[in-house]
Amino acid sequence: MSGSAMSVRLSEGAIAAIMQGENVSKPVLQVINTRAIATGNGPPRYRVLMSDGVNTLSSFMLATQLNSLVEEERLSAQCICQVNRFIVNSLKDGRRVVILMDLDVLKTADKVGGNIGNPVPYNEGQGQQRSSAPAANPAPSKPQQPNGNLSVAGPAAPKYHAPSNHFGKASAPSSLKTPGGSQAKVVPIASLNPYQSKWTICARVTQKGQIRTWSNSRGEGKLFSIELVDESGEIRATAFNDQADKFFPLIELNKVYYFTKGNLKSANKQYTAVKNDYEITFTSETSVVPCDDAQHLPSVQFEFVSISDLENTPKDSIVDVIGICKSYEDVTKITVKANNREVSKRNVHLMDTSGKLVTATLWGNEAEQFDGSRQPVIAIKGARVSDFGGRSLSVMSSSTVFINPDSPEAFKLRGWFDSEGQLLECASISDVRGGPAPGANTNWKTLFEAKSENLGQGDKADYFSCVGTVVHLRKENCMYQACPSQDCNKKVIDQQNGLYRCEKCDREFPNFKYRMMLLVTIADCLEYQWVTCFQESAEFILGQNAAFLGELKEKNEQAFEEVFQNANFNTYEFRIRVKLETYNDESRIKATAMDVKPVNYREYSKRLIASIRRNAQLG
């Protein structure tokens, strides 16, 4: 046995204490061996033979969220670890299994060099077996702790943050009285697996979706899903058809219930961010009973991702995000092609301390009822990452949105934003088309900065916002006669017989509509830029709609000229798309106005103040 092994003291007697139901806090044990157990389609499970220096026990099972420790060979034979949390489960035949929920590897196998002590197998029911261990040292109720120079994980180490450091101090009631008067033992969520037929959990409902219906070749049906949390973890549960009708009116958000019986299957990670390998399906045998004495169970568990990190997050990932609502857009209505149903949609623009801003899309009632006028803190659990126009977020039916949540992260974010964040010039990682609301234009640049940074020179188009003044408008060829069909803007051919032909629609029409394609020169204090403005942007700059301008051009050339003169030297906020394009073997940057609107001088002044401060620091 090496000297380094001698520097670590195992928690002698801990195995006997655990198996006898005593409260054992963070025992230090040595791994003797690990063995993979086949689980069909689910993730592998690992059985671990462990020693406390006096006894060995092969009834340890590693929770699946710790599988990486074995797969990366950090948890291997002869290593020493501290078990921060564990659960003892009783099997049908009376045997006990210890599920390791959270542990830290204190010394890897290569630094130990051998087994510590001369442990003998622990035989359940026969008391603690000893070899050469001192007889005067009975099994302690609290095993010895490791030497003080070893790093011990604090309360933040478990994946699910419990109010107490000691898992043995259960916050939820340990049993439920059944109608027949018998006791049903309450088990932790983290211990649930498909091989259990009878179980009861005590959990808080942290998310409740609406009832959804489906119809396909196999028939029709309905369902709703909930998310449940206790001190050991979280899990998703779904009720179908009759169970949906039965439980939907009974289960309330944020209330605590006993849930008994249900089918457990591997979770579909595509539709949920819940950190559990399994999910529950309610059956005709499922019962749900309110619990009034476990109000201190944890509420929603977040694993927030910084907005700046979303740029490198894979598409369709499910994430938790928190941010200040920097700005928001009006509600719009869109028609879902799949079922021809109209739904409400609203984009909100979230910013955090990384200085980045992301667009999140709310749907349905959440979109209609949202009020961002006071720039609230918004926490979203389970948003889906989209790669539409950079990176954006979509709130799904399984997501939960919290406005000004009562959490340290929210308080910290609010304090930061009120003191300095609101003055920051934030850069957006989203480029969602459709005209953002006031304050949503991001990635602010001067025209000089846009050119010096070579925006638009890459494979994809770049977007930026600027404040610019119109100094020239090219009225020649600024309008064209277009197809009158609602969804077609193709230029028509005058047939010289009172009809106008659209090649795209392959039809002739007795009329046309005017469309605009206006070239304007905008300038700021350092640079100028030619920008192409299409229909809405051109109409906004000229202050007249295309139909009126077309009529004016035909009937009153002088009045038409005055419209262009009056449009000069007005200042606007521009959202510009720049992309390198090649025409006749000549490459040049084409700039297109995606949005034009009046200058928000309040926000503009904030950006100028922030810029002055930055320059003052550089000086």
Side-chain angles (χ1 to χ4, degrees):
M1 183 163 51
S2 69
S4 60
M6 291 296 293
S7 66
V8 177
R9 296 195 64 182
L10 300 183
S11 301
E12 295 183 356
I15 286 177
I18 290 170
M19 299 306 284
Q20 291 165 17
E22 297 182 27
N23 182 17
V24 179
S25 176
K26 296 185 177 180
V28 176
L29 304 175
Q30 184 177 31
V31 175
I32 304 301
N33 191 20
T34 60
R35 182 163 61 92
I37 299 173
T39 57
N41 294 328
R45 299 301 300 268
Y46 291 98
R47 190 168 181 170
V48 187
L49 176 64
M50 305 194 82
S51 162
D52 63 4
V54 175
N55 289 123
T56 60
L57 184 71
S58 63
S59 300
F60 290 94
M61 292 285 289
L62 200 64
T64 53
Q65 65 261 29
L66 301 181
N67 280 0
S68 60
L69 292 175
V70 175
E71 291 158 0
E72 295 170 6
E73 298 185 353
R74 284 184 286 162
L75 191 75
S76 58
Q78 298 182 353
C79 79
I80 297 171
C81 58
Q82 175 178 279
V83 179
N84 298 318
R85 287 194 300 146
F86 62 88
I87 298 164
V88 181
N89 269 354
S90 296
L91 304 180
K92 290 180 181 179
D93 59 7
R95 288 183 299 125
R96 291 187 171 190
V97 173
V98 183
I99 300 176
L100 303 171
M101 301 301 302
D102 182 64
L103 60 81
D104 291 322
V105 177
L106 302 181
K107 281 187 177 291
T108 53
D110 59 319
K111 294 180 181 178
V112 177
N115 293 341
I116 298 176
N118 298 296
V120 297
Y122 176 84
N123 294 323
E124 193 169 353
Q126 296 181 14
Q128 184 179 1
Q129 303 297 310
R130 293 190 177 273
S131 56
S132 59
N137 185 15
S141 59
K142 283 194 175 181
Q144 290 175 301
Q145 295 301 303
N147 294 339
N149 61 346
L150 291 173
S151 61
V152 178
K159 198 167 193 178
Y160 303 101
H161 303 286
S164 167
N165 290 345
H166 305 299
F167 188 83
K169 299 178 181 178
S171 296
S174 59
S175 62
L176 163 68
K177 283 193 175 181
T178 62
S182 61
Q183 297 264 335
K185 184 180 178 183
V186 173
V187 300
I189 285 175
S191 71
L192 294 178
N193 62 72
Y195 310 106
Q196 294 169 289
S197 57
K198 296 179 181 180
W199 47 262
T200 297
I201 58 174
C202 181
R204 185 184 301 278
V205 179
T206 57
Q207 197 274 340
K208 180 184 177 185
Q210 295 298 312
I211 286 186
R212 291 182 289 148
T213 59
W214 79 84
S215 177
N216 55 34
S217 58
R218 292 181 291 178
E220 299 179 346
K222 66 181 72 171
L223 64 88
F224 82 97
S225 295
I226 58 176
E227 291 176 11
L228 307 173
V229 168
D230 70 5
E231 288 187 317
S232 73
E234 56 185 346
I235 196 166
R236 185 173 186 245
T238 302
F240 292 88
N241 300 323
D242 292 344
Q243 276 68 48
D245 290 333
K246 176 182 177 182
F247 291 117
F248 188 82
L250 298 178
I251 296 174
E252 296 181 42
L253 187 65
N254 246 340
K255 295 289 182 69
V256 179
Y257 300 89
Y258 292 105
F259 296 86
T260 302
K261 289 188 178 180
N263 290 336
L264 282 137
K265 62 175 185 177
S266 293
N268 188 338
K269 300 291 187 178
Q270 184 179 354
Y271 300 109
T272 177
V274 173
K275 306 298 188 297
N276 200 313
D277 293 321
Y278 305 111
E279 57 186 28
I280 300 169
T281 300
F282 290 167
T283 69
S284 57
E285 295 185 328
T286 299
S287 72
V288 179
V289 179
C291 173
D292 298 324
D293 52 350
Q295 296 308 311
H296 49 304
L297 275 180
S299 54
V300 182
Q301 306 290 300
F302 291 100
E303 290 188 5
F304 290 123
V305 174
S306 170
I307 290 175
S308 62
D309 291 340
L310 293 176
E311 291 184 280
N312 301 314
T313 302
K315 176 180 179 288
D316 293 330
S317 297
I318 308 298
V319 297
D320 301 342
V321 171
I322 188 169
I324 289 280
C325 177
K326 177 78 170 172
S327 60
Y328 62 102
E329 301 175 19
D330 293 333
V331 173
T332 58
K333 300 281 187 180
I334 66 167
T335 301
V336 180
K337 292 182 180 179
N339 52 19
N340 209 31
R341 185 169 57 93
E342 190 177 70
V343 296
S344 299
K345 169 187 174 183
R346 185 197 296 269
N347 285 338
V348 299
H349 307 282
L350 305 180
M351 142 185 215
D352 67 7
T353 54
S354 68
K356 294 297 179 74
L357 185 141
V358 67
T359 299
T361 304
L362 307 178
W363 302 92
N365 290 335
E366 274 178 341
E368 293 172 358
Q369 297 169 8
F370 177 78
D371 178 11
S373 58
R374 295 180 177 271
Q375 293 186 307
V377 176
I378 300 175
I380 307 174
K381 181 172 179 61
R384 184 186 293 279
V385 178
S386 167
D387 63 353
F388 176 69
R391 280 290 184 270
S392 57
L393 299 172
S394 184
V395 175
M396 307 182 295
S397 59
S398 60
S399 308
T400 310
V401 178
F402 300 87
I403 308 297
N404 290 323
D406 186 8
S407 72
E409 294 92 345
F411 299 144
K412 179 182 177 182
L413 194 58
R414 168 54 64 192
W416 168 83
F417 183 78
D418 290 345
S419 64
E420 58 178 297
Q422 59 182 324
L423 295 173
L424 278 185
E425 182 181 333
C426 53
S428 176
I429 64 171
S430 309
D431 286 310
V432 178
R433 297 181 182 181
N441 280 353
T442 52
N443 195 22
W444 290 95
K445 304 283 183 187
T446 64
L447 294 174
F448 176 79
E449 288 172 335
K451 288 186 178 181
S452 62
E453 293 174 16
N454 296 318
L455 294 188
Q457 301 277 4
D459 294 335
K460 292 184 178 180
D462 288 317
Y463 295 78
F464 70 95
S465 299
C466 69
V467 173
T469 301
V470 176
V471 296
H472 177 71
L473 302 97
R474 183 184 289 175
K475 62 179 182 295
E476 294 79 22
N477 301 321
C478 67
M479 309 179 72
Y480 66 94
Q481 296 170 342
C483 176
S485 298
Q486 183 175 356
D487 298 324
C488 181
N489 296 321
K490 187 75 174 175
K491 187 176 181 178
V492 294
I493 302 169
D494 189 345
Q495 300 291 88
Q496 306 297 326
N497 60 358
L499 296 176
Y500 302 88
R501 176 170 177 77
C502 175
E503 295 290 344
K504 181 180 178 182
C505 298
D506 195 21
R507 285 181 58 191
E508 292 183 348
F509 300 92
N511 62 327
F512 60 84
K513 64 186 178 189
Y514 275 111
R515 294 283 300 176
M516 302 207 68
M517 191 170 65
L518 177 67
L519 266 176
V520 303
T521 305
I522 65 172
D524 58 15
C525 59
L526 294 172
E527 189 57 271
Y528 72 92
Q529 174 69 56
W530 280 100
V531 179
T532 301
C533 301
F534 291 100
Q535 192 79 350
E536 292 79 8
S537 299
E539 289 178 337
F540 183 82
I541 289 172
L542 294 172
Q544 303 289 348
N545 63 50
F548 175 78
L549 288 169
E551 186 179 351
L552 211 60
K553 183 178 181 182
E554 293 173 0
K555 297 180 178 178
N556 190 337
E557 185 69 29
Q558 184 177 351
F560 182 73
E561 179 78 27
E562 286 180 3
V563 170
F564 281 78
Q565 289 178 357
N566 293 335
N568 263 319
F569 305 111
N570 292 317
T571 302
Y572 304 100
E573 288 183 1
F574 291 86
R575 179 72 169 158
I576 296 176
R577 176 188 187 271
V578 284
K579 181 75 175 72
L580 187 67
E581 295 191 355
T582 303
Y583 183 72
N584 287 341
D585 294 329
E586 183 181 348
S587 296
R588 59 177 161 182
I589 292 290
K590 181 179 180 182
T592 304
M594 307 303 296
D595 190 31
V596 183
K597 58 189 165 188
V599 178
N600 182 333
Y601 283 100
R602 182 171 179 268
E603 294 296 322
Y604 185 36
S605 298
K606 286 182 179 180
R607 292 194 301 274
L608 290 175
I609 292 170
S611 180
I612 291 169
R613 288 179 176 174
R614 283 198 306 273
N615 289 331
Q617 290 173 352
L618 290 174

